[in-house]
Amino acid sequence: MSTETGEDPGAEPVYAYLRRSAIEHEAVSRLRDLEYRVIRTDGRQPGVNLIGMKGNRFRFVCIRRRKNPAGPIAEVAATYVEDLYELRRYISPIVSIDLWIWSRPDGWRYFAVFPGGIQEIRGDDGHRL
């Protein structure tokens, strides 16, 4: 057995995965409040950041942070076209997909992702979140 260690020059540093932002913590809390068990992905972009599990259903959530408000839904779809393309690969009868965007001063905006587009969903008024 060898005691040598080596570095993979193409490997990403571990600290990028270990670091969690405040908005990610908040998103995990929101999913847990909705009774999801939550696991975190490696956070690579584009793609899924959190996976919520409830019964035999899964909710994949892509979290994005902005300095400015996200704008109208058409602008959101255009801005996050790569994320949406990646996310749509996972849509199935047991997997729903969300795009959650946090910005100042608006806070959170939530979007359900469908094969043909996105729809804004509400978080505080009882609609699907």
Side-chain angles (χ1 to χ4, degrees):
M1 175 151 75
S2 173
T3 58
E4 291 181 38
T5 61
E7 285 190 31
D8 179 355
E12 293 184 22
V14 173
Y15 67 84
Y17 174 74
L18 296 176
R19 220 177 26 197
R20 294 179 80 162
S21 69
I23 64 165
E24 188 173 336
H25 283 287
E26 187 175 331
V28 168
S29 293
R30 287 178 182 257
L31 283 170
R32 287 184 177 149
D33 288 346
L34 295 168
E35 300 179 358
Y36 284 92
R37 289 179 293 142
V38 182
I39 56 174
R40 188 171 161 241
T41 69
D42 63 7
R44 294 182 188 189
Q45 292 187 5
V48 175
N49 299 93
L50 302 173
I51 298 173
M53 300 166 290
K54 186 191 301 188
N56 63 348
R57 310 224 11 113
F58 297 88
R59 188 172 193 173
F60 289 11
V61 179
C62 174
I63 301 168
R64 294 296 175 255
R65 173 187 215 132
R66 296 176 53 97
K67 292 181 182 178
N68 300 312
I73 198 163
E75 186 178 319
V76 171
T79 301
Y80 296 98
V81 68
E82 285 184 53
D83 284 309
L84 296 172
Y85 177 79
E86 177 70 19
L87 294 169
R88 285 186 177 109
R89 295 178 10 175
Y90 303 110
I91 294 174
S92 77
I94 64 167
V95 177
S96 63
I97 307 293
D98 289 352
L99 170 64
W100 293 8
I101 301 172
W102 189 91
S103 67
R104 290 190 193 269
D106 292 348
W108 287 103
R109 285 183 66 193
Y110 307 96
F111 300 88
V113 179
F114 300 102
I118 62 174
Q119 178 181 9
E120 189 158 8
I121 52 179
R122 309 281 182 237
D124 299 330
D125 62 359
H127 286 82
R128 178 186 175 271
L129 167 65

